[in-house]
Amino acid sequence: TEPPRDARRVAAFVKRRLTVDDLETARMLASVPMPMERMRIFAFFLEAGRVRILRTSHEDEPGMPEVWRLVTLDLDVAKNRLLPVSRIEFPGDRWDRTLCPDGRRAILRQWGSGKALIADLETGRTSPIPAERSALHYLEDGRLIRLSWDGNPLLSLLTPDGAERLRVP
């Protein structure tokens, strides 16, 4: 996990718990259970009093279609409480995410396909973004840059929602 930009607090996974500690006073500020079986978990500070948690998991039950799931939770440090934010599910098991610097959106890509989506982690809504034969990356301000190489290389600057604003061959 990452400390907030002022580096006074740190969040960590310790013995199946997510803890937040104040580094100046050596006090534990929050501690909540965090089951980690069959999940990948990533946490970071949205602000000093709120930790964003992203949990990805894959469910493969006999007789049921495979499901990849991304669950977004926030830890309210002052209240020591986990708050559900959003849940996104897709068929299959081969998805990956690239997080926006502000932690509120992500690019979701299905491995082995040109399929990509922009996910609003606050609402759980997704929208497709053309990504076949291309690389997508977030800029610090939340805009996207897309480099496509289908034929001639093409660089595109996109809004945080994926609308193209500039195209450079």
Side-chain angles (χ1 to χ4, degrees):
T1 63
E2 298 177 10
R5 297 187 192 274
D6 65 10
R8 290 183 302 163
R9 295 181 176 185
V10 65
F13 294 106
V14 179
K15 297 181 181 177
R16 298 179 187 237
R17 298 190 75 78
L18 173 62
T19 63
V20 176
D21 295 278
D22 184 300
L23 297 176
E24 290 180 353
T25 64
R27 284 185 34 236
M28 182 181 294
L29 303 174
S31 176
V32 293
M34 187 60 51
M36 300 176 85
E37 297 85 24
R38 299 181 59 168
M39 293 180 199
R40 293 178 60 206
I41 300 178
F42 177 69
F44 56 93
F45 284 90
L46 280 178
E47 54 195 50
R50 189 167 296 265
V51 178
R52 166 95 3 127
I53 301 112
L54 301 178
R55 293 190 323 199
T56 58
S57 63
H58 168 246
E59 300 294 327
D60 184 14
E61 297 178 27
M64 301 294 290
E66 292 179 292
V67 175
W68 179 85
R69 185 173 295 123
L70 171 65
V71 175
T72 304
L73 305 162
D74 283 353
L75 170 60
D76 182 324
V77 174
K79 294 180 180 174
N80 196 41
R81 178 193 265 160
L82 280 175
L83 306 168
V85 178
S86 68
R87 179 182 177 129
I88 299 170
E89 293 183 344
F90 295 113
D93 68 342
R94 299 281 189 181
W95 288 84
D96 198 10
R97 52 122 181 98
T98 302
L99 193 61
C100 182
D102 71 3
R104 300 183 191 286
R105 286 178 306 285
I107 300 166
L108 305 178
R109 293 193 83 140
Q110 188 174 30
W111 297 358
S113 80
K115 187 173 185 176
L117 303 163
I118 294 177
D120 180 332
L121 299 177
E122 304 288 316
T123 64
R125 292 188 189 109
T126 61
S127 56
I129 183 169
E132 203 161 313
R133 298 184 52 84
S134 67
L136 290 163
H137 299 282
Y138 276 107
L139 299 174
E140 189 64 31
D141 64 3
R143 291 179 300 163
L144 290 157
I145 193 160
R146 178 178 59 209
L147 177 61
S148 304
W149 53 85
D150 192 18
N152 296 321
L154 179 68
L155 181 101
S156 300
L157 183 63
L158 312 174
T159 66
D161 296 328
E164 187 174 75
R165 290 293 178 228
L166 177 68
R167 179 182 285 207
V168 181

